[in-house]
C-alpha cells in the first residue's frame, strides 16, 4: 500500500509536468509509473498478451476507488508480524471492497498484491461507488479518464483540446475521437496492404525475384504493419478500455498468424531446395518424401506458433488440443485409406524396392516406374498406358524389380524328334554347350544345357543361360543370336525340331540324313576314343579353348563390320540408374 501511494504521487507529478511540457521523456515517465503500479496487482487470470494494458487501467481505476472511499490509515493495516507465515492470506482494505492477498504459487509467490478478484471487478466497483460523483465538472473527472485522455507527444495538444464534448464520450472505454482516428488509420493500413499484395503478385508473375523471397514478403509486411500500427495506436493515440484490449488481442493474433505463415514458407522452401539438390527429378521418391517431411514439420511448427498465440490470449490450449485429439480420431477413421497410402509411401521410401526409371512386374502387370508419390505410384505400362497404383496396395504386391538383376536369363525347352538317336542327341547337346561357352555375351558359369526327359512328342532339352546385359534390346538381340545358332547346330546334326502334330504319310518318307547321322556318330566315337567325351561336362582345357572363340555380333552384321560392339546404343534399359561397379559383369577381364 505504501508503494501504491508513493507511485500515485509520482504519477500525479508526472502527469502535471506532461500537461505543462509535452515531451517524450515526461510521457515515458507517466507510462513507466503506470506499469510499476500495475506490478502491484495479481494479473495471473488476465491473458498474457493483455496484462500490460489491463494492469495500467486497473491501477488508474484503483486510484479512483481509493480516492472515492475512506482511505484506511496505515497504522490500521496489519504488519508482517500479524500475518501467519503459512497458509492463504486475504485482507480487505477497510472502507473499500478492495482485497489484498498473498500469492501462493508462481514466480511471485509470497508477495502481497491486489488479488485477481479486485482486478476483474475494479471497473464495476468504480461504477457502483460512482467515484466521479464528488468531482463533477472536473475535466477529466477521474484518474481513469485522465489516463484514457492522454496522447503521445506526436499528437498536438491543441488537436486533443479542440475536440468537442460530444467527441469525448467514451466508446468501448476510449474517447470517441480516438476510436474514429483509430478506424481511419486501420483503413489506411488495410489499403496499403492490399496494394502491396497486388504488387507482390505482379512481381511473382514477372519472376523478377525467387519464389520464396516473394512469398515471405507477405507475412513480413503484414506483421510489420501490425506492429507499427499497434505502437501508434497504443503509444501515441493511447487507446484504452475494451477498444485497447481488442487492438492488442488483434495484434497478437496477426503476429502469431504471420509468424506461423512465415515459418510455413521458410521450412517448405528449405526442404524444397534440399530436395532439388538431392535429386533434380521431381517425380522421384526421395524428392516427394523430403517435401512431405518438410510439409509435416512446417505444419507442426505453424500449429505450435498458433497455439502459443492462443495461450497468450488466454484460450484453454490443453482443452483445444484434447478436442483436436478426439476430432482427429474421427477424421482419421474417415480418411483411413489416405493414411494407409501415406504409410505405404513411407514403406516404399525406407525399403526402396524400386526407384524411378526401374522396370518392374507386379500383380500380373509390367511397366517402368515414372513417379513415386505420397499417395500413389505411376507406372508406364508396355502398351504406353499410365497405371496409378495406391501405395498401400503397391507395397503389399508381389513385386519383381527387373532393374535389380545383374544378368538376364535365356530359358527355353528344345524338343527334338524321337527319331534322334542318343549319339546324335549328344552331338547336339555338345554343340549347343560349345557354342554357349564360346559366346562372348553369355556367362560361362551359368550355362545349363541338359536332356531332361521324353516328352509327349519330343526329346526335351532344357536350356538356361544368362546373357551379360541389363538392357532389353541387347537381351533380345543376344537371345535371337543364341537361338539361331542352336537352329544351325540342330540342322547340322541331321535331326530337326519336333512339333505336336499327327502326320499322314501318303508317300515314302525320306527319313533322316544318313550321311550326316553317320558323321555325327563317327565324331562321337572319336570323342570317346580320344578321351574328349564331353559328358557330364567339358574338360577345363576344352572350356579355356572354347571361351569367346565365336564372333558376336556375327560376321556380316554392321557391328561386326565396324569392328566394335554397339549393342548399348539406343538401348531400352531396365533402369534409369547406372549399376554400381561392384555389380557389373567383368567383361573386360573376360575379353582379355
Amino acid at each position: 500500500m505504501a508503494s501504491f501511494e508513493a507511485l500515485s504521487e509520482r504519477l500525479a507529478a508526472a502527469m502535471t509536468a506532461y500537461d505543462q511540457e509535452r515531451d517524450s521523456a515526461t510521457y515515458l515517465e507517466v507510462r513507466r509509473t503506470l506499469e510499476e503500479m500495475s506490478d502491484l496487482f495479481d494479473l495471473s487470470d488476465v491473458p498474457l498478451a493483455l496484462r500490460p494494458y489491463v494492469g495500467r487501467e486497473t491501477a488508474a481505476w484503483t486510484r479512483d476507488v481509493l480516492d472515492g472511499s475512506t482511505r484506511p490509515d496505515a497504522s490500521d493495516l496489519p504488519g508482517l508480524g500479524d500475518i501467519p507465515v503459512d497458509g492463504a492470506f486475504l485482507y480487505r482494505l477497510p472502507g473499500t471492497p478492495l482485497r489484498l492477498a498473498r500469492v501462493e504459487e508462481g514466480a511471485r509467490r509470497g508477495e502481497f498484491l491486489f488479488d485477481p478478484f479486485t482486478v476483474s471487478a475494479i471497473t464495476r466497483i468504480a461504477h457502483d461507488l460512482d467515484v466521479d460523483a464528488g468531482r463533477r465538472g472536473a475535466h477529466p473527472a477521474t484518474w481513469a479518464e485522465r489516463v484514457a485522455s492522454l496522447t503521445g507527444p506526436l499528437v498536438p495538444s491543441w488537436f486533443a483540446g479542440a475536440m468537442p464534448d460530444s467527441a469525448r464520450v467514451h466508446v468501448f472505454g476510449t474517447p470517441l475521437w480516438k476510436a474514429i482516428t483509430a478506424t481511419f488509420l486501420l483503413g489506411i493500413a488495410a489499403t496499403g496492404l492490399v496494394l502491396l499484395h497486388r504488387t507482390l503478385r505482379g512481381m511473382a508473375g514477372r519472376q523478377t525475384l525467387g519464389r520464396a523471397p516473394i512469398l515471405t514478403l507477405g507475412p513480413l509486411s503484414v506483421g510489420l504493419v501490425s506492429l507499427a500500427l499497434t505502437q501508434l495506436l497504443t503509444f501515441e493515440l493511447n487507446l484504452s478500455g475494451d477498444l485497447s484490449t481488442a487492438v492488442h488481442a488483434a495484434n497478437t493474433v496477426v503476429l502469431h498468424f504471420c509468424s506461423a505463415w512465415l515459418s510455413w514458407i521458410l521450412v517448405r522452401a528449405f526442404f524444397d531446395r534440399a530436395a532439388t539438390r538431392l535429386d533434380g527429378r521431381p517425380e522421384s521418391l526421395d524428392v516427394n518424401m523430403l517435401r512431405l517431411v518438410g510439409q509435416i514439420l512446417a505444419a507442426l511448427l505453424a500449429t505450435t506458433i498458433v497455439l502459443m498465440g492462443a495461450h497468450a490470449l488466454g484460450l484453454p490450449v490443453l482443452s483445444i488440443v484434447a478436442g483436436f485429439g478426439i476430432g482427429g480420431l474421427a477424421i482419421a477413421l474417415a480418411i483411413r485409406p489416405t493414411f494407409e497410402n501415406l504409410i505405404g509411401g513411407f514403406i516404399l521410401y525406407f525399403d526402396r524396392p524400386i526407384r524411378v526409371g526401374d522396370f518392374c512386374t507386379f500383380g500380373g502387370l509390367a511397366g517402368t516406374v515414372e513417379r513415386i508419390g505420397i499417395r500413389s505410384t505411376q507406372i508406364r505400362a508396355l502398351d504406353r498406358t499410365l497405371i496409378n497404383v495406391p501405395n498401400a496396395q503397391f507395397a503389399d504386391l508381389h513385386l519383381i524389380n527387373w532393374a535389380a538383376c545383374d544378368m538376364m536369363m535365356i530359358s527355353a525347352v528344345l524338343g527334338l524328334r524321337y527319331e534322334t538317336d542318343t549319339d546324335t542327341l549328344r552331338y547336339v547337346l555338345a554343340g549347343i554347350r560349345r557354342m554357349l561357352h564360346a559366346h562372348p555375351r553369355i556367362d560361362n558359369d551359368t550355362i545349363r544345357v541338359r536332356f531332361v526327359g521324353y516328352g509327349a512328342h519330343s526329346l526335351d532339352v532344357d536350356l538356361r543361360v544368362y546373357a551379360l546385359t541389363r538392357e532389353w534390346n541387347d537381351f533380345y538381340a543376344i537371345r535371337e543370336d543364341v537361338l539361331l545358332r542352336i537352329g544351325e547346330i540342330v540342322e547340322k546334326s541331321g535331326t530337326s525340331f519336333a512339333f505336336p502334330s499327327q502326320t499322314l504319310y501318303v508317300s515314302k518318307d525320306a527319313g533322316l540324313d544318313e550321311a550326316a547321322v553317320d558323321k555325327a556318330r563317327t565324331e562321337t566315337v572319336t570323342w570317346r576314343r580320344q578321351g574328349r567325351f564331353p559328358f557330364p561336362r567339358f574338360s577345363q582345357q576344352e572350356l579355356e579353348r572354347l571361351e569367346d572363340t565365336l564372333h558376336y555380333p556375327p560376321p556380316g552384321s554392321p557391328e561386326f563390320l565396324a569392328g566394335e560392339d554397339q549393342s548399348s546404343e539406343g538401348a531400352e534399359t531396365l533402369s534409369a540408374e547406372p549399376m554400381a561397379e561392384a555389380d557389373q559383369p567383368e567383361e573386360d577381364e573376360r575379353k582379355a
Side-chain angles (χ1 to χ4, degrees), residues 452-508:
V452 295
Y454 300 93
H457 305 282
S458 62
L459 303 175
D460 294 336
V461 176
D462 182 73
L463 168 70
R464 192 214 68 185
V465 295
Y466 287 91
L468 299 175
T469 184
R470 299 180 68 247
E471 300 174 354
W472 276 118
N473 287 340
D474 197 21
F475 166 73
Y476 275 89
I478 296 173
R479 185 173 65 176
E480 177 185 82
D481 181 75
V482 168
L483 294 178
L484 290 176
R485 291 179 187 273
I486 291 174
E488 293 174 355
I489 293 171
V490 173
E491 183 179 356
K492 184 179 179 181
S493 68
T495 186
S496 61
F497 295 105
F499 49 89
S501 64
Q502 293 181 350
T503 303
L504 179 63
Y505 294 96
V506 295
S507 63
K508 185 177 180 180

Side-chain angles (χ1 to χ4, degrees), residues 252-551:
T252 302
V253 171
V254 171
L255 290 181
H256 283 83
F257 172 75
C258 291
S259 299
W261 183 8
L262 186 61
S263 64
W264 170 266
I265 294 172
L266 293 178
V267 172
R268 290 194 61 187
F270 173 78
F271 278 90
D272 286 346
R273 186 167 183 82
T276 304
R277 287 178 174 270
L278 176 66
D279 192 338
R281 296 172 300 168
E283 70 277 4
S284 70
L285 181 59
D286 289 340
V287 170
N288 283 277
M289 192 57 63
L290 198 57
R291 286 177 175 167
L292 174 62
V293 171
Q295 292 176 1
I296 293 175
L297 291 179
L300 289 176
L301 182 58
T303 303
T304 302
I305 294 174
V306 171
L307 291 178
M308 291 173 61
H311 175 70
L313 291 175
L315 297 178
V317 176
L318 294 179
S319 301
I320 294 175
V321 173
F324 280 155
I326 298 174
L329 179 61
I331 295 175
L333 293 176
I335 59 174
R336 180 178 58 84
T338 301
F339 277 109
E340 290 179 351
N341 293 326
L342 180 62
I343 295 173
F346 277 104
I347 293 175
L348 292 176
Y349 176 74
F350 289 111
D351 286 350
R352 295 183 180 273
I354 54 172
R355 297 171 298 180
V356 172
D358 290 355
F359 182 85
C360 63
T361 303
F362 61 96
L365 301 173
T368 302
V369 180
E370 286 198 351
R371 182 181 181 274
I372 304 176
I374 303 306
R375 194 197 68 84
S376 64
T377 299
Q378 295 181 353
I379 299 176
R380 183 70 64 180
L382 295 177
D383 60 358
R384 306 309 298 165
T385 57
L386 190 62
I387 304 174
N388 268 292
V389 185
N391 287 335
Q393 299 179 17
F394 195 67
D396 292 336
L397 290 175
H398 183 68
L399 180 63
I400 301 175
N401 188 354
W402 290 90
C405 68
D406 54 352
M407 296 178 289
M408 303 182 71
M409 184 176 69
I410 300 175
S411 178
V413 176
L414 308 175
L416 300 179
R417 294 179 59 165
Y418 262 108
E419 293 90 338
T420 306
D421 57 48
T422 55
D423 284 340
T424 304
L425 179 58
R426 289 190 179 98
Y427 177 85
V428 172
L429 292 172
I432 295 175
R433 294 173 192 167
R434 184 178 289 107
M435 180 270 298
L436 292 174
H437 281 290
H439 204 294
R441 301 301 297 278
I442 297 297
D443 182 63
N444 290 344
D445 297 332
T446 60
I447 293 175
R448 186 186 71 186
V449 181
R450 296 293 178 182
F451 173 58
V452 295
Y454 300 93
H457 305 282
S458 62
L459 303 175
D460 294 336
V461 176
D462 182 73
L463 168 70
R464 192 214 68 185
V465 295
Y466 287 91
L468 299 175
T469 184
R470 299 180 68 247
E471 300 174 354
W472 276 118
N473 287 340
D474 197 21
F475 166 73
Y476 275 89
I478 296 173
R479 185 173 65 176
E480 177 185 82
D481 181 75
V482 168
L483 294 178
L484 290 176
R485 291 179 187 273
I486 291 174
E488 293 174 355
I489 293 171
V490 173
E491 183 179 356
K492 184 179 179 181
S493 68
T495 186
S496 61
F497 295 105
F499 49 89
S501 64
Q502 293 181 350
T503 303
L504 179 63
Y505 294 96
V506 295
S507 63
K508 185 177 180 180
D509 186 8
L512 301 179
D513 187 346
E514 294 297 336
V517 171
D518 290 340
K519 183 177 179 181
R521 292 173 178 172
T522 301
E523 189 165 350
T524 305
V525 172
T526 303
W527 291 342
R528 284 196 180 97
R529 188 167 50 250
Q530 294 179 355
R532 295 187 295 109
F533 197 62
F535 295 94
R537 59 185 61 85
F538 287 107
S539 65
Q540 186 63 34
Q541 293 81 1
E542 184 72 5
L543 293 177
E544 294 175 356
R545 185 184 69 81
L546 291 174
E547 185 172 0
D548 293 348
T549 56
L550 286 180
H551 293 291

Side-chain angles (χ1 to χ4, degrees), residues 2-16:
S3 299
F4 189 81
E5 292 294 341
L7 290 173
S8 298
E9 294 177 2
R10 199 174 93 186
L11 176 63
M15 294 186 70
T16 301

Side-chain angles (χ1 to χ4, degrees), residues 202-242:
M203 293 171 62
R206 296 191 300 270
Q207 295 182 354
T208 56
L209 295 173
R211 179 174 176 80
I214 293 178
L215 293 177
T216 57
L217 291 177
L220 285 176
S221 60
V222 174
L224 291 176
V225 169
S226 178
L227 276 174
L229 185 61
T230 303
Q231 181 69 9
L232 180 63
L233 294 180
T234 59
F235 189 82
E236 296 295 339
L237 200 58
N238 190 37
L239 296 180
S240 58
D242 293 338

